[in-house]
Amino acid sequence: MKVSLFITCLSDAIYPRVGEAMVRLLAAHGVRLDFPPVQTCCGQPSYNSGYWDETRVAAKTILEAFDDSDFVVCPSGSCTYMIHHYPELFADEPVWLEKAKRLEAKAYEFTQFLVQVLGITDLGAHFPHKVTYHPSCHGSRLLGVKDEPMALLSQVKGLELVPLPFAEDCCGFGGTFAIKMSDISGAMVTEKVDHVKETQAEVLVGLDMACLMNIAGNLRYRNEPVRVMHLAELLYEGVRTG
Amino acid sequence: MVTEHQQWLAQLEKKSIEKQEQFMNDIASKLRRPRQRQAPTQPFRGAPDFWTELEWDEEKRIQAFTDNFVSVGAHIARVKNMEEVSQFIANKSRELSARYIIRQNEQALKDLGLEEQLPEVQISVWNSQADENWKARAAEADIGVVMADYATAYTGSVTVLSSPEKGRSVSLLPTVLIIIIPVHRLYTRLGETLDRFDEVGRENLPAGIHFISGPSRSSDIENDLTIGVHGPGIVYGLIMG
Amino acid sequence: MSQPGVMDTTVKERAGLALNDDFLRKAVKFTTERLRNGKKSASEEHGNWDEWRERGRQIRLHTIAHLDYYLNEFVNNARANGVHIHFADTSVEAAAIALDIAAHKQASTVVKSKSMVSEEVHLNHVLESAGIEAIETDLGEYIIQLAGEAPSHIVIPAIHKNRYQIAELLSKEAGEILEPDTTVLAGFVRKKLREKFLEADIGMTGCNFAIAETGSMVLFENEGNARMVSTVPRTQITLMGMERIIPSWTDLEVMATLLPRSATGQKLTMYMSGITGPRRTADADGPDEMHIIIVDNGRSLQLGDPEFQELLNCIRCGACLNACPVYRHIGGHAYGGTYSGPIGAVLTPALNGNIDEWNDIAGASSLCGACYEACPVKIPLHDMLVYLRRRKVEDGHGNKMESMGMKGFAAVVSNSKSFSAAIRLGQIGQKAVVRNNGISLKLGPLKGWNNYRVAPSLAKKSFRQQWNKLDQELNEKQRAMDSSVRSRMEQIIREREEGEGKKHGH
């Protein structure tokens, strides 16, 4: 059984601890992730801006990396969802199209993998803090990840979950949108952080480092001491210290 | 004798019929297929099946209609028969110091005997004679009285159909609108009324079919709700039976 | 299609203006939240919302796929009812036909109810240039007409104006000072427009839906002005987008369920009117003469285009505007066209048939998908925005700097060697600017980001640099997989191979 880690370029270069947390958590349940190094990036940045040739270059590394995996696990809803665009991108290339369709069927976002595939919601974590949760747009709206993170959070001992007002509103990242339309994006992330502050939570947890990086950046800019974590990191810390 | 205007309209029609073929052919060619000339089978027509099974009993229909109607700022009164309707209208008229009332030219409304009950009020009967400016009569009326042709409990709506005897203006122009709703005309779903119009067919439809669900309203100024913008601001529904 | 002079500015600039207008932002936020909450309650209360959406989508898809049949039926039936039908390929033609009719009726005053199409074809401007008074009668439209502005929201056009501004406008019209009180202001408009309704020569309407099988047109409204303009004046002219067709009255139940709830959270608008032809000979109200102008103006360009044909499903409810976080911050005028919000961002370039002119509109989105989630007929606007961006690049109109950047990106991600090398380069290069694991530098591409954030630094060691060590460590503490977990996973693989796998994603 080959279960592979799709690390995402962001976690690879900036947040390796997310990958480490996933690998260790799953190893504790007897699931050893392997890491095919051929993978680089899912191609979202170029896809969203309309540069599909460049996207295919990136996508091919992903298709190649996971060609013979049985399961692929990814700490990002948007990168996992990006794979669902691959059949469209390779509609005219039958060899790659076939790989794309197979990958679509076996790629899972992290919480989907834990809950749907492994059937696990209680990892034995203890995390006695006030936490609020931001549901990333692509993961929740497009990939349909809504119940799984809730199921996992509800089993963490000592964790007080405070609802985030207007949680479903976009944080304003949108990839190159944050650079190209920086003032609109800035207004959106400012509003998101205003809502985070309202909860008075100690920790903001999420499923996508792109969103979390964006929100953390504004929190830090405004000297707010809220800790920002990926759910994998939270669960791993909860298991390690619990 | 054909007027110049009619000639012009006839010319336009000729142009329109020619243009029609072109227009539709263009659509078909963009869809990359020949013209669709036969009615296609609709895979999904109307509301989902589970919805068409919804049917409430009379008590529930009356309650739902009342709740909906009242929630938008209209008023409901429960009356047993047309005598009580007549009483209600007469009382209301005196309460509001109405000077002008307009009603549809229906036998049932004639039988209300409003003219006898309210001799001091000028009561117009829609289109009851030629050479009268009926729209102006409706515009000056304090109260308009109509009878619902159908009503829908789920949305709190009444439906009125136009005819030579039933003006569209009577339920639109007066300040106050009183609608008599015979309970046997109150259905559960909107579709029950809408389906009828498919059933009777094009030639049997009136010019105006109006669904009214409450008083005229707008929130266009700073999201602040205001009632009675163009249509009647005060609406009474008399559920009868 | 556009406001005069709007091409001279970019979306970014117009958005900047909006972002600095505190009242506008508060007003747009308040309005969209109210409408969004209304929709949420109304759709939840009604229940099975997704099934209704799918139904609405299927009915619209089917109608558009057979538009030549249904539109043709509508035209023939409407004509049989006594309606005069006209076809306009372009906005210029549509306005010209309307003007022609008005001129023939020697009209001096036209009263209008809400019609986005009439805004699209700049009808008021055309009528006024010919000396015909064209009066908007929808309260919000009347206000912005007096102000000489375009609507900033499909459903509530004047949300960008406060009551003081409105009182000022209406006082000028009244010739006396009116208090900035909603009831007073609305009362004045009711009285003033009453006169106009009764004396106008022509009433003009838009068209929410047109029923093919009976040649009837349907209007949804709350104020009563659409009924007014289609009942009182002796001539009626209706402007109708060619795609506004549904087959039957029973199909109207689905639209009547989706539209009001999506637009404002109402079960039904106060008035829903089905008009089947001009007045009958013996009727004492209703128009003597009725015209319907069927407008193309770029709609047919979407037919046969698998990426954009679904755009024609739109029922103009405005739910996407209320759901859109970008719209909430910048309001409607920043979009620069008749239609704003997510639908406007796609419709404007699509109807115009050229993306270049509207080059940045499709860029004003984070692709969050809230519009798609809100749409009662499930139009994938978030996908269409990406298609627009792609077409612009394919047409060779992509931003030069961005194209170069993307080529660089492709070079870096083309294989793991260059990817690793790029990361290593970054790890070294960033040393000069990293402070406490963060980068605050506001230079170059970082400027936009760091105006609002502190950027993160690259990790000292990337995941792939640490992998071998981690992998080895775990080899030493090997733990067997739980047998029940293993059988679950094997079952999933089996189902997948048999093609019965549960779809776990979208």
Side-chain angles (χ1 to χ4, degrees):
Chain A
M1 180 103 43
K2 190 169 184 320
V3 188
S4 305
L5 174 64
F6 173 14
I7 186 62
T8 81
C9 61
L10 214 57
S11 286
D12 195 353
I14 304 179
Y15 302 106
R17 291 220 295 258
V18 174
E20 189 190 338
M22 280 173 71
V23 172
R24 289 185 184 278
L25 277 172
L26 290 172
H29 284 270
V31 178
R32 279 301 302 281
L33 292 180
D34 72 1
F35 173 70
V38 164
Q39 61 184 287
T40 60
C41 167
C42 70
Q44 258 188 103
S46 50
Y47 177 83
N48 288 341
S49 295
Y51 294 85
W52 288 18
D53 288 335
E54 287 80 349
T55 307
R56 279 180 270 267
V57 169
K60 282 178 180 172
T61 71
I62 305 299
L63 289 170
E64 215 188 294
F66 303 113
D67 201 33
D68 55 357
S69 305
D70 294 307
F71 293 92
V72 177
V73 194
C74 177
S76 160
S78 61
C79 301
T80 312
Y81 186 69
M82 183 62 206
I83 292 172
H84 291 274
H85 287 304
Y86 286 1
E88 175 188 39
L89 283 169
F90 293 103
D92 297 331
E93 298 182 59
V95 172
W96 294 102
L97 176 61
E98 189 269 337
K99 292 184 203 283
K101 288 189 180 152
R102 274 190 300 111
L103 181 57
E104 224 190 330
K106 62 192 180 188
Y108 293 82
E109 178 273 335
F110 174 63
T111 63
Q112 283 183 322
F113 185 72
L114 278 176
V115 177
Q116 288 180 33
V117 177
L118 301 184
I120 299 173
T121 52
D122 188 352
L123 289 123
H126 174 64
F127 194 81
H129 298 284
K130 199 165 178 188
V131 176
T132 192
Y133 168 68
H134 164 73
S136 300
C137 296
H138 289 169
S140 60
R141 287 198 181 101
L142 305 182
L143 207 53
V145 175
K146 294 194 180 166
D147 300 331
E148 296 87 342
M150 288 299 132
L152 289 162
L153 284 165
S154 69
Q155 300 289 358
V156 179
K157 289 176 231 3
L159 188 149
E160 184 196 341
L161 188 63
V162 197
L164 179 64
F166 298 100
E168 69 279 0
D169 284 357
C170 178
C171 71
F173 180 65
T176 51
F177 171 77
I179 313 288
K180 281 154 58 170
M181 295 284 168
S182 52
D183 292 326
I184 305 176
S185 169
M188 288 163 72
V189 73
T190 302
E191 193 179 58
K192 175 62 68 175
V193 167
D194 287 344
H195 292 312
V196 171
K197 284 173 65 177
E198 277 171 60
T199 66
Q200 300 192 311
E202 302 161 63
V203 178
L204 169 69
V205 74
L207 303 181
D208 208 308
M209 287 322 294
C211 309
L212 295 176
M213 171 178 74
N214 179 38
I215 301 171
N218 186 256
L219 280 165
R220 191 159 159 187
Y221 189 78
R222 290 157 70 171
N223 292 316
E224 295 293 337
V226 179
R227 208 176 152 202
V228 178
M229 303 173 83
H230 188 281
L231 184 56
E233 291 180 283
L234 186 154
L235 290 170
Y236 180 57
E237 191 173 303
V239 163
R240 225 183 47 220
T241 60
Chain B
M1 200 196 71
V2 180
T3 66
E4 198 221 305
H5 187 70
Q6 285 169 322
Q7 271 181 339
W8 171 73
L9 285 173
Q11 255 174 38
L12 286 179
E13 184 167 330
K14 185 156 167 284
K15 237 175 47 187
S16 168
I17 293 175
E18 280 163 21
K19 191 86 194 272
Q20 184 175 345
E21 264 309 280
Q22 200 191 323
F23 214 75
M24 306 307 159
N25 288 339
D26 183 54
I27 294 173
S29 94
K30 288 204 163 76
L31 290 168
R32 284 182 232 112
R33 57 160 176 73
R35 273 286 291 278
Q36 175 102 32
R37 300 218 186 247
Q38 302 289 83
T41 326
Q42 256 184 292
F44 300 98
R45 186 174 161 98
D49 288 335
F50 71 82
W51 185 247
T52 53
E53 288 157 23
L54 183 72
E55 214 182 295
W56 291 335
D57 61 37
E58 186 179 283
E59 205 188 304
K60 179 133 196 231
R61 292 202 302 272
I62 295 173
Q63 191 57 52
F65 184 93
T66 303
D67 292 343
N68 285 324
F69 217 53
V70 166
S71 75
V72 292
H75 309 275
I76 290 280
R78 201 67 185 86
V79 292
K80 288 204 210 49
N81 47 41
M82 288 303 259
E83 278 87 69
E84 288 189 13
V85 169
S86 185
Q87 270 307 114
F88 182 92
I89 297 176
N91 291 340
K92 225 9 111 177
S93 175
R94 282 181 216 113
E95 190 190 309
L96 298 170
S97 308
R99 287 176 34 233
Y100 302 92
I101 294 182
I102 185 163
R103 66 166 175 83
Q104 306 288 34
N105 192 0
E106 286 178 273
Q107 188 62 43
L109 297 182
K110 179 167 186 219
D111 293 343
L112 285 174
L114 293 174
E115 288 79 354
E116 290 82 59
Q117 293 231 41
L118 302 163
E120 72 280 13
V121 176
Q122 190 127 313
I123 301 183
S124 309
V125 180
W126 182 263
N127 206 15
S128 50
Q129 64 201 57
D131 291 340
E132 178 68 271
N133 186 347
W134 293 109
K135 288 183 252 185
R137 297 288 75 74
E140 82 196 358
D142 301 300
I143 301 178
V145 180
V146 308
M147 190 120 141
D149 290 291
Y150 309 99
T152 302
Y154 192 77
T155 54
S157 316
V158 299
T159 308
V160 291
L161 273 45
S162 71
S163 75
E165 297 78 30
K166 287 153 51 178
R168 292 146 84 166
S169 307
V170 178
S171 61
L172 179 66
L173 295 175
T175 313
V176 178
L177 174 60
I178 299 182
I179 311 167
I180 304 157
I181 308 164
V183 93
H184 66 273
R185 293 187 191 173
L186 175 60
Y187 298 92
T188 308
R189 297 174 290 108
L190 212 54
E192 294 179 76
T193 300
L194 293 172
D195 285 353
R196 272 169 210 279
F197 305 132
D198 282 330
E199 279 161 32
V200 300
R202 180 189 68 75
E203 302 94 348
N204 298 311
L205 292 181
I209 297 172
H210 299 284
F211 288 75
I212 302 168
S213 307
S216 147
R217 68 194 346 227
S218 171
S219 300
D220 278 345
I221 297 177
E222 279 195 3
N223 284 293
D224 191 21
L225 179 65
T226 187
I227 303 282
V229 187
H230 295 296
I234 303 172
V235 178
Y236 292 96
L238 308 183
I239 302 182
M240 180 184 77
Chain C
M1 267 143 287
S2 61
Q3 301 156 49
V6 90
M7 291 322 185
D8 311 327
T9 57
T10 60
V11 139
K12 214 168 161 202
E13 285 159 359
R14 296 193 297 271
L17 284 175
L19 288 168
N20 284 322
D21 182 342
D22 266 345
F23 176 79
L24 175 72
R25 284 182 76 180
K26 281 205 188 79
V28 175
K29 186 167 176 219
F30 183 78
T31 303
T32 54
E33 252 163 50
R34 185 176 72 87
L35 296 176
R36 224 185 351 164
N37 290 336
K39 171 182 186 270
K40 194 157 177 264
S41 319
S43 53
E44 272 168 19
E45 194 197 324
H46 183 62
N48 300 302
W49 190 244
D50 251 15
E51 285 180 66
W52 281 92
R53 286 175 76 209
E54 183 57 30
R55 196 80 176 189
R57 171 172 182 259
Q58 289 298 334
I59 292 172
R60 294 290 287 145
L61 281 179
H62 170 82
T63 312
I64 302 298
H66 301 278
L67 193 61
D68 54 333
Y69 174 77
Y70 287 112
L71 181 58
N72 199 50
E73 277 303 289
F74 173 75
V75 168
N76 291 342
N77 286 323
R79 243 194 232 115
N81 294 331
V83 178
H84 302 282
I85 301 282
H86 313 270
F87 294 90
D89 291 320
T90 65
S91 63
V92 170
E93 251 183 82
I97 293 169
L99 181 59
D100 192 30
I101 299 168
H104 264 91
K105 304 301 286 191
Q106 292 167 319
S108 50
T109 309
V110 172
V111 283
K112 301 176 70 225
S113 68
K114 181 87 142 258
S115 162
M116 294 306 289
V117 177
S118 81
E119 310 256 7
E120 214 184 296
V121 309
H122 305 298
L123 184 62
N124 292 1
H125 179 71
V126 168
L127 291 174
E128 264 140 38
S129 304
I132 299 172
E133 193 189 12
I135 304 168
E136 293 291 345
T137 61
D138 174 281
L139 181 56
E141 296 280 350
Y142 179 66
I143 290 167
I144 58 174
Q145 181 178 42
L146 290 176
E149 293 170 14
S152 62
H153 188 285
I154 285 177
V155 172
I156 311 202
I159 51 171
H160 60 288
K161 290 225 145 339
N162 66 48
R163 74 184 67 191
Y164 303 98
Q165 294 169 316
I166 295 172
E168 208 185 303
L169 282 166
L170 294 177
S171 298
K172 241 188 346 202
E173 201 56 30
E176 56 168 302
I177 306 285
L178 296 170
E179 267 178 66
D181 169 83
T182 309
T183 315
V184 168
L185 298 173
F188 164 71
V189 175
R190 180 191 168 100
K191 197 159 138 271
K192 172 82 194 230
L193 291 180
R194 255 314 150 107
E195 295 162 20
K196 296 293 180 185
F197 287 129
L198 291 167
E199 73 186 29
D201 308 291
I202 298 182
M204 289 201 63
T205 77
C207 175
N208 291 92
F209 297 104
I211 300 177
E213 288 172 14
T214 59
S216 311
M217 54 172 274
V218 185
L219 298 172
F220 286 75
E221 56 158 338
N222 282 305
E223 294 179 22
N225 57 316
R227 281 189 63 182
M228 287 286 198
V229 307
S230 56
T231 300
V232 179
R234 309 198 74 122
T235 303
Q236 177 183 335
I237 303 177
T238 291
L239 281 173
M240 179 190 124
M242 64 188 276
E243 85 290 5
R244 304 313 240 130
I245 307 276
I246 51 176
S248 66
W249 289 85
T250 190
D251 293 311
L252 181 61
E253 185 179 18
V254 179
M255 301 306 147
T257 302
L258 294 169
L259 175 59
R261 286 181 177 82
S262 301
T264 54
Q266 293 176 284
K267 287 186 181 163
L268 196 55
T269 47
M270 294 299 105
Y271 305 108
M272 177 175 80
S273 307
I275 300 171
T276 308
R279 72 175 178 83
R280 304 295 179 259
T281 321
D283 286 350
D285 60 5
D288 302 326
E289 193 175 298
M290 184 171 154
H291 297 261
I292 295 182
I293 304 174
I294 298 177
V295 181
D296 181 349
N297 202 28
R299 287 155 176 74
S300 64
L301 287 175
Q302 319 314 318
L303 293 169
D305 184 336
E307 292 182 336
F308 290 95
Q309 186 167 316
E310 262 187 84
L311 203 49
L312 299 177
N313 283 10
C314 178
I315 61 175
R316 305 288 193 268
C317 68
C320 56
L321 274 69
N322 301 328
C324 178
V326 171
Y327 177 86
R328 187 166 64 255
H329 286 284
I330 68 176
H333 291 157
Y335 289 80
T338 304
Y339 301 99
S340 57
I343 187 67
V346 182
L347 208 50
T348 306
L351 293 181
N352 276 304
N354 71 46
I355 293 97
D356 335 315
E357 214 177 300
W358 297 90
N359 57 16
D360 46 6
I361 266 289
S365 166
S366 62
L367 304 177
C368 75
C371 49
Y372 169 64
E373 194 178 47
C375 180
V377 289
K378 296 174 124 176
I379 302 173
L381 288 168
H382 63 306
D383 283 338
M384 291 180 177
L385 288 164
V386 175
Y387 300 149
L388 284 176
R389 295 174 185 183
R390 190 202 70 224
R391 288 188 185 194
K392 181 164 162 243
V393 168
E394 284 169 353
D395 287 348
H397 294 278
N399 177 288
K400 291 285 180 287
M401 288 290 300
E402 194 182 36
S403 300
M404 272 169 36
M406 288 298 167
K407 291 221 167 7
F409 166 75
V412 165
V413 300
S414 58
N415 61 74
S416 58
K417 198 151 159 246
S418 37
F419 188 66
S420 301
I423 293 180
R424 254 197 315 278
L425 212 64
Q427 286 165 337
I428 297 169
Q430 71 175 359
K431 290 194 181 163
V433 295
V434 170
R435 302 274 174 279
N436 283 333
N437 295 319
I439 300 175
S440 299
L441 202 60
K442 294 184 187 184
L443 217 58
L446 286 175
K447 179 156 181 258
W449 184 268
N450 283 337
N451 268 338
Y452 300 93
R453 309 165 187 82
V454 174
S457 57
L458 298 181
K460 290 207 167 57
K461 276 195 172 334
S462 67
F463 182 83
R464 59 183 64 224
Q465 283 168 327
Q466 302 172 35
W467 171 248
N468 286 331
K469 189 152 165 260
L470 177 61
D471 196 28
Q472 258 171 21
E473 186 197 316
L474 291 173
N475 277 339
E476 284 149 29
K477 327 176 183 166
Q478 191 78 295
R479 205 211 106 141
M481 198 188 286
D482 191 38
S483 58
S484 63
V485 168
R486 176 174 288 277
S487 25
R488 264 183 90 103
M489 292 171 79
E490 282 166 352
Q491 171 72 359
I492 291 174
I493 296 174
R494 258 198 307 276
E495 282 169 4
R496 195 193 293 156
E497 278 158 11
E498 284 157 24
E500 283 160 27
K502 216 175 43 158
K503 249 204 134 180
H504 62 275
H506 170 58

